[in-house]
Amino acid sequence: MKIRAITLKNVRRFQGTTARISGLADGITTICAPNESGKSTFFDALHAIFFYPHSGQPLEVRSLQPHSKGAVEISVDVEDDDGNPFRIEKRYMASKSATITDLATDRLIAQADEAEQWIKTLIGADAHGPAGLLWVRQGISGFGPDGSGAREKGEREKLREARQTLMSSVAGQIDNVTGGRRMDQIMKACEADLDALATRTGQPKAGGEWNKAVKRVEDLEAEETRLASQVSELGQALREHAQIKAAHKASENPDAAAKRDQAIKSAQKALEDAQGHARHIVERQRDLRLAELEAKACKDRIDADAAAGALRKRLETAEKVTKDAAKVTGVDAEKAKKAHEKATLDLRDVRSHLKSARDTLSAARKRLDRRQKAQERKNLVALLAKVDAFEKARKAHAATLRDIRITQKDLDRLNTLTQNLVTTKALREAGAATLQVSYAGQTVLMDADQPLPENKEIPLLRDMNIELPGIGSMKLAPARIAGSSDAEDPDDIAAQISTLLSDLELDGMEAARFEMRRRTDAEREELLARQSIETLVPDGTEQLRRDLDDIEEDDADDEGEVIDVDDLQSRVSAAEEKERIAADYQDETRLAHEAAAGLATAARTKHSLALEALEAPAAAELSAQEHAEMEKSFEAAQGTVSRIKADIEELQKEAPDTEAAEALVARLASARDNATKERERRLERLNILGGVIRARADDGVETRLEETRGKLEKARSRAERYKFEVEALSELRGHLETSRKQAHDAYFEPVKKEIGPLLSMLHDDAAVEMDPDTMLPIKIVRDGIAEKIDTLSGGASEQIAILTRLAFAKLYSRAGKKVPVILDDALVYSDDDRIVKMFTALTRSAKDQQIIVLSCRTRAFEELGGTRATIEIPDQMA
């Protein structure tokens, strides 16, 4: 490819106008113009049209736009390797477009993305293409852009890839890059990595990352076992808690409790009915005895009437009998009365005992309730103390955070400055000149009152005043590294570190890291305390204090007393049962007393009647009517006795089983009491299990187990990666050692062959050594002495860089890609003699190579020869 003309419209200083360079010949074409005339603008525009798509707006394109904005238009006339003319046109920023025109036929052959692809094919733009190697921008005197930014690093990497591609295509020896310094670097890195991880026997090295990873796996496995045991314990507690809770819920069923209470009431009602039925039988038996007495009296009257003759005797007998009967029944009545009175007194005592038992039970329940409230208050006080402790810890950690001045940003800044200090010191030492002294006599050179050691290289890192005995003194100053700035001065960086540490009131980096760890620990502990408070009192400490105030403090000292409510309840139940039995017995004695009193009254009445009959005149015989009435009374009395007997027999048949009713009541009451005890036992077990569950839940054992297993998986993976890395490094070391024995310099022969004749025009019998990493000359060998390129003067470095580009241009030509060499104010450090030699070298290369030179040094470049071109601005010419 050859460039024939370049046209710019509305580009930088050419805003609103058109500028053009035409007449670019085959060999050397020189465009000489003063500074600020737009030479670099043409160079940058040429770079943009070939390497930046029309659709984008990168910084390089935006920098071409003038202050007045508007579209940027660039046009370049080129010839391909067959001599066919084409015009490349691009429009950036506004109404973007790209077109390719065949100038021979004036036909548009490609546009937009097809035009971009056509350009890439023309120049071979992969990895920034050959033009990236052969076009020298103003201000770049070396082999590539200086600087440590990502953009400069990326540019240098693209250029390295372009050199590698070119040299590989020419030499076909890409595998031979394993030789030389790069191989040494790789081997050293491999050995260092292996030594850091493993011992010579391939085992984890103590203190190494692999060893740490293995120990980490062992620690996490032990932690996993411990946490798994706690999770199992938690799971068992949860299952038992659920089972007991389900049983408790079932037992707390209101319907079941109501049925149980109803059953007890029904049993008690049945018992009362049975007892009433028994009393009714007793009453009927009393009626029976009265009816039998009445029947007997009628029978006696009848018999008396039938045996009037024996009436007196019978009356006497009757008087005696009734008197005895009255006496016996009177005694029985008195006994029944006393029994009734005693039963009444016993009932009163039993009821007094029952009242006392009930009072004791009520007082016990009140004391138990008071004790429960006291325990609740004690629990709230303990919780408040725990919350206050967490709050105190939180405030202490917050105070610690306020006292610690350093932040993560400060520590990052200190780490960056420290790294920069190490880097700049290394760069200074790497690029520093050295001084070596050999003494022939006793005289010793002094620097700052210290003798200079003999036969030792001393790097010039500072100004040195060397005392020369008998002569005077000599001042040596370190060379300034090209491209360095004040910001890269180690002393300045050290001063920045010192200032920052002083502002933070710290003694050094260890103190800074220690304070940062303190900050991190305090932040973590403060967060833990705050979260603990929120967990313990989600409603806040004020609500907790109000709850505490709502419970009155009880000074009663009865905590040691055992209050057995169940025992007291059992005593009350027993007293109630005794009261029932005493009441029943009192009723029985009352009925017995009433019956006995009735019999006594009847006996006395009979005795009175018998006595009256005895004392009265002899009774006459009954008349027929009186006898009939007496017979009727007797029959009626017998009928009454029969009916009463029948009633008693029927009542006895229908009588409920009182003992069974009493047993049923006792059984149901016992079942109720057992259910109450079982409920209390379940609640106590639930509390115990709840404590276990809360303790394990508060510890977060399940989450910690999952986290530990996740960490263990990562730790195992990390240990395996280290193991694999050691195996891979060991294998790599073996392969590299084998490959290094086979490496040679054939890869660099093509470029050394091309650069040799050009270099000999400046330095007789000079040669270069190539860097296998950058694929650029690293040393120049003159008179058998090798010198690093970066230690040469600016002019020498500049000249070798241009000669190297000319050699690469030759290689491109041999590879079938003819690309023009473009130099924008490239020879700025060369002296008059060397610049003439460089002109000769350029002319030699221009025999079959287009070279375009832009320069502001019109007089110096008059000796270059070749074609002269100018920047044309049609509007100004008109």
Side-chain angles (χ1 to χ4, degrees):
M1 179 191 75
K2 295 178 181 178
I3 299 174
R4 295 307 186 193
I6 309 170
T7 303
L8 309 181
K9 185 176 180 181
N10 196 43
V11 179
R12 284 186 187 160
R13 67 184 307 277
F14 305 118
Q15 66 177 24
T17 187
T18 301
R20 179 179 175 82
I21 298 176
S22 59
L24 302 177
D26 285 352
I28 296 177
T29 300
T30 305
I31 300 100
C32 288
N35 290 328
E36 302 296 328
S37 59
K39 301 185 301 300
S40 295
T41 298
F42 272 92
F43 182 92
D44 292 341
L46 195 63
H47 194 269
I49 196 172
F50 280 111
F51 299 113
Y52 295 107
H54 68 286
S55 57
Q57 294 185 15
L59 177 63
E60 290 79 1
V61 172
R62 296 198 306 273
S63 68
L64 298 175
Q65 193 176 39
H67 294 299
S68 60
K69 304 301 181 181
V72 172
E73 299 182 34
I74 306 171
S75 172
V76 179
D77 293 349
V78 299
E79 288 182 3
D80 62 13
D81 293 340
D82 296 329
N84 301 314
F86 298 93
R87 177 167 293 161
I88 303 171
E89 296 177 283
K90 284 189 181 181
R91 182 183 177 97
Y92 294 96
M93 306 304 291
S95 302
K96 302 172 185 179
S97 64
T99 59
I100 307 296
T101 303
D102 186 343
L103 295 180
T105 61
D106 199 25
R107 181 173 61 87
L108 180 68
I109 62 172
Q111 59 183 347
D113 293 342
E114 292 182 359
E116 299 290 357
Q117 187 58 46
W118 189 90
I119 294 171
K120 289 182 179 180
T121 303
L122 175 69
I123 64 174
D126 295 337
H128 231 52
L133 301 179
L134 308 183
W135 296 4
V136 182
R137 189 184 302 275
Q138 184 182 35
I140 297 179
S141 59
F143 294 102
D146 295 327
S148 58
R151 184 170 175 271
E152 289 79 5
K153 290 180 180 178
E155 185 71 17
R156 286 196 293 271
E157 180 62 23
K158 289 180 180 179
L159 296 178
R160 191 195 70 80
E161 292 177 3
R163 290 191 291 271
Q164 186 182 56
T165 302
L166 168 63
M167 295 169 70
S168 298
S169 65
V170 174
Q173 299 288 336
I174 193 166
D175 288 339
N176 292 331
V177 76
T178 53
R181 196 172 78 184
R182 185 181 182 192
M183 181 58 156
D184 292 337
Q185 294 172 350
I186 295 174
M187 286 295 295
K188 288 179 181 179
C190 181
E191 291 288 351
D193 290 344
L194 266 176
D195 184 63
L197 294 175
T199 62
R200 289 294 179 183
T201 60
Q203 298 301 314
K205 187 174 184 180
E209 293 299 323
W210 186 18
N211 183 267
K212 292 178 182 178
V214 171
K215 288 186 177 299
R216 177 66 172 162
V217 169
E218 294 173 353
D219 293 343
L220 288 174
E221 286 175 344
E223 179 69 6
E224 181 194 28
T225 301
R226 185 180 68 83
L227 291 175
S229 175
Q230 293 183 356
V231 169
S232 176
E233 179 185 356
L234 175 60
Q236 183 176 356
L238 287 170
R239 288 190 295 273
E240 184 180 355
H241 187 278
Q243 293 171 356
I244 295 177
K245 191 171 183 180
H248 181 70
K249 183 178 180 181
S251 67
E252 290 295 307
N253 187 344
D255 294 339
K259 289 181 179 178
R260 183 172 60 245
D261 293 341
Q262 183 61 40
I264 292 175
K265 290 181 180 179
S266 298
Q268 290 176 340
K269 178 68 167 59
L271 178 59
E272 292 173 357
D273 291 343
Q275 292 171 344
H277 195 89
R279 287 194 297 271
H280 187 47
I281 291 176
V282 172
E283 291 174 353
R284 294 304 289 167
Q285 287 175 343
R286 182 192 61 192
D287 294 339
L288 175 61
R289 286 194 295 273
L290 292 174
E292 286 176 342
L293 290 173
E294 184 177 357
K296 186 175 181 301
C298 290
K299 181 69 169 59
D300 291 343
R301 183 78 177 93
I302 293 171
D303 290 342
D305 181 66
L311 178 59
R312 174 61 58 183
K313 186 178 180 177
R314 288 198 302 274
L315 287 175
E316 290 175 353
T317 301
E319 188 275 335
K320 185 176 183 303
V321 169
T322 55
K323 182 179 180 180
D324 292 338
K327 183 178 180 180
V328 171
T329 55
V331 172
D332 290 341
E334 187 64 24
K335 288 181 180 180
K337 179 181 179 182
K338 289 180 179 180
H340 176 62
E341 289 174 351
K342 185 177 184 304
T344 301
L345 291 175
D346 291 341
L347 178 61
R348 186 180 299 116
D349 292 339
V350 169
R351 284 176 175 170
S352 176
H353 179 69
L354 174 60
K355 181 179 183 301
S356 176
R358 284 173 174 170
D359 292 342
T360 302
L361 176 61
S362 176
R365 284 174 174 167
K366 289 179 180 179
R367 289 198 304 276
L368 184 61
D369 182 64
R370 191 165 61 249
R371 182 179 295 178
Q372 289 174 345
K373 288 185 177 180
Q375 183 61 41
E376 183 180 355
R377 179 181 177 83
K378 185 183 295 183
N379 293 339
L380 290 177
V381 170
L383 179 59
L384 184 59
K386 186 181 293 186
V387 171
D388 289 341
F390 278 122
E391 179 62 20
K392 182 178 180 181
R394 186 194 67 77
K395 290 180 178 179
H397 292 305
T400 300
L401 288 175
R402 289 194 297 271
D403 292 339
I404 298 174
R405 300 183 61 180
I406 191 170
T407 64
Q408 187 62 48
K409 183 177 180 182
D410 295 329
L411 184 60
D412 293 342
R413 174 63 176 160
L414 285 171
N415 287 333
T416 300
L417 288 172
T418 303
Q419 183 63 39
N420 290 344
L421 178 61
V422 173
T423 302
T424 52
K425 282 184 177 179
L427 289 175
R428 175 178 282 189
E429 292 176 1
T434 60
L435 172 66
Q436 184 171 335
V437 179
S438 297
Y439 296 114
Q442 299 299 319
T443 303
V444 177
L445 300 183
M446 304 292 289
D447 173 43
D449 299 328
Q450 296 292 328
L452 294 179
E454 185 177 11
N455 296 326
K456 178 181 179 182
E457 287 191 356
I458 303 171
L460 291 178
L461 303 178
R462 59 178 177 81
D463 291 344
M464 300 177 65
N465 285 312
I466 301 175
E467 298 178 7
L468 305 175
I471 299 176
S473 64
M474 177 174 61
K475 182 177 181 179
L476 298 178
R480 189 172 181 82
I481 301 173
S484 66
S485 64
D486 293 339
E488 297 173 342
D489 189 341
D491 296 334
D492 290 345
I493 296 175
Q496 293 180 46
I497 294 173
S498 178
T499 300
L500 184 52
L501 288 172
S502 177
D503 293 341
L504 295 173
E505 299 179 358
L506 297 172
D507 296 335
M509 285 300 297
E510 285 303 319
R513 294 187 181 100
F514 176 76
E515 284 299 292
M516 194 62 223
R517 287 194 295 272
R518 282 186 63 217
R519 169 177 281 277
T520 303
D521 293 342
E523 288 175 345
R524 182 181 63 254
E525 293 299 329
E526 192 273 340
L527 176 61
L528 177 60
R530 189 168 65 252
Q531 290 176 341
S532 299
I533 292 172
E534 293 174 354
T535 301
L536 291 173
V537 284
D539 296 331
T541 56
E542 291 304 321
Q543 181 61 42
L544 179 62
R545 296 181 192 278
R546 286 195 293 271
D547 293 343
L548 183 60
D549 292 339
D550 289 342
I551 301 175
E552 295 181 0
E553 187 171 2
D554 189 357
D555 297 332
D557 187 14
D558 61 348
E559 293 187 0
E561 180 185 356
V562 177
I563 301 174
D564 192 345
V565 175
D566 293 337
D567 180 63
L568 293 175
Q569 180 63 53
S570 298
R571 293 182 183 181
V572 170
S573 299
E576 289 175 344
E577 180 64 18
K578 289 181 179 179
E579 189 269 346
R580 181 189 62 76
I581 294 172
D584 291 344
Y585 181 67
Q586 195 251 11
D587 285 341
E588 290 178 359
T589 57
R590 178 180 58 81
L591 294 175
H593 174 254
E594 291 175 352
L599 290 175
T601 301
R604 286 194 302 272
T605 302
K606 289 180 179 180
H607 177 257
S608 298
L609 292 174
L611 187 59
E612 290 176 358
L614 181 62
E615 292 177 351
E621 291 184 5
L622 294 174
S623 62
Q625 183 178 355
E626 289 175 341
H627 185 79
E629 290 177 356
M630 187 58 67
E631 287 287 343
K632 187 182 292 184
S633 295
F634 176 69
E635 291 176 0
Q638 284 186 324
T640 300
V641 169
S642 297
R643 286 194 304 273
I644 292 174
K645 285 183 177 180
D647 289 343
I648 291 173
E649 184 178 353
E650 189 66 29
L651 286 173
Q652 287 175 340
K653 288 181 181 179
E654 296 175 356
D657 189 343
T658 305
E659 292 181 356
E662 290 174 348
L664 177 60
V665 171
R667 180 182 65 78
L668 292 176
S670 177
R672 178 191 61 195
D673 295 340
N674 290 336
T676 301
K677 292 179 181 179
E678 179 63 18
R679 177 178 180 275
E680 292 174 352
R681 187 197 67 78
R682 285 196 300 267
L683 290 176
E684 180 180 4
R685 184 57 181 165
L686 285 175
N687 287 333
I688 294 173
L689 292 174
V692 173
I693 293 168
R694 285 193 298 274
R696 293 290 177 251
D698 289 343
D699 291 342
V701 290
E702 292 177 315
T703 302
R704 288 167 56 198
L705 177 60
E706 292 301 319
E707 292 175 352
T708 300
R709 285 174 174 168
K711 291 177 181 178
L712 178 58
E713 182 178 355
K714 293 180 180 178
R716 284 172 175 163
S717 176
R718 189 164 181 259
E720 287 298 321
R721 287 200 305 272
Y722 279 124
K723 181 180 178 182
F724 177 78
E725 183 178 352
V726 169
E727 294 172 350
L729 287 171
S730 300
E731 185 176 355
L732 174 63
R733 179 174 60 187
H735 286 305
L736 289 176
E737 289 174 347
T738 302
S739 299
R740 183 162 58 179
K741 296 176 183 178
Q742 302 172 353
H744 54 79
D745 294 332
Y747 188 75
F748 301 105
E749 285 305 314
V751 70
K752 291 170 66 176
K753 182 178 180 181
E754 293 296 337
I755 201 173
L758 297 174
L759 186 61
S760 65
M761 299 178 71
L762 297 178
H763 308 281
D764 294 337
D765 297 327
V768 294
E769 292 184 5
M770 304 296 290
D771 184 351
D773 190 23
T774 64
M775 301 182 187
L776 290 170
I778 189 173
K779 294 181 180 178
I780 180 172
V781 182
R782 295 181 289 191
D783 298 328
I785 300 175
E787 301 176 76
K788 291 185 177 180
I789 298 296
D790 54 11
T791 63
L792 300 177
S793 65
S797 298
E798 175 184 71
Q799 295 151 16
I800 293 176
I802 291 176
L803 294 178
T804 302
R805 285 179 167 83
L806 294 176
F808 277 125
K810 284 286 188 180
L811 293 180
Y812 273 120
S813 180
R814 288 173 55 188
K817 290 183 179 290
K818 294 185 178 181
V819 181
V821 176
I822 304 177
L823 308 176
D824 181 14
D825 272 336
L827 295 170
V828 295
Y829 298 108
S830 299
D831 56 37
D832 294 340
D833 182 53
R834 290 280 179 85
I835 199 170
V836 171
K837 292 181 179 181
M838 286 297 298
F839 288 164
T840 303
L842 289 171
T843 303
R844 181 181 185 277
S845 299
K847 289 182 179 180
D848 53 0
Q849 177 71 47
Q850 184 184 35
I851 300 175
I852 301 173
V853 179
L854 298 97
S855 177
C856 62
R857 302 171 64 186
T858 304
R859 185 175 300 172
F861 277 76
E862 288 178 352
E863 301 296 327
L864 178 57
T867 303
R868 296 285 171 165
T870 59
I871 299 175
E872 304 170 357
I873 304 177
D875 293 343
Q876 294 181 0
M877 296 174 63

